[in-house]
């Protein structure tokens, strides 16, 4: 399996606003979920959060436990790889 290069986060958005650095405290599960969703959309985590905050993302699938979260992450990763083939 080939490794995906992480996109570099932009310091200036396409909306002509400067981005601001912010520190967040998140659980490992939340980080893993967001990274998986960002990967599935071929976005950096920074761009994913930008679009989430602007409500420009499709509805997010909610999961009820850690096992479902892992299955969703694996499914999104496999689907994303298939889309690139």
């Amino acid at each position: 399996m080939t490794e995906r290069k992480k996109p570099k986060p932009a310091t200036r958005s396409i909306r002509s606003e400067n981005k601001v650095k912010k520190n967040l405290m998140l659980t490992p599960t939340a980080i893993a979920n967001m990274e998986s969703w960002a990967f599935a959309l071929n976005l950096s985590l920074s761009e994913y959060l930008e679009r989430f905050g602007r409500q420009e993302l499709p509805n997010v699938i909610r999961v009820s436990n850690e096992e479902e979260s892992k299955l969703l992450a694996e499914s999104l990763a496999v689907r994303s790889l298939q889309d690139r083939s």
Side-chain angles (χ1 to χ4, degrees), residues 6-45:
K6 282 189 175 181
K8 293 183 181 179
T11 55
R12 188 170 181 89
S13 77
I14 59 174
R15 295 164 191 88
S16 300
E17 288 183 85
N18 289 330
K19 290 193 175 182
V20 179
K21 286 187 179 187
K22 213 56 170 155
N23 290 327
L24 300 173
M25 299 279 296
L26 301 168
T27 63
T29 301
I31 293 168
N33 286 340
M34 287 187 289
E35 286 176 341
S36 295
W37 296 325
F39 177 84
L41 296 170
N42 199 27
L43 299 172
S44 68
L45 183 55

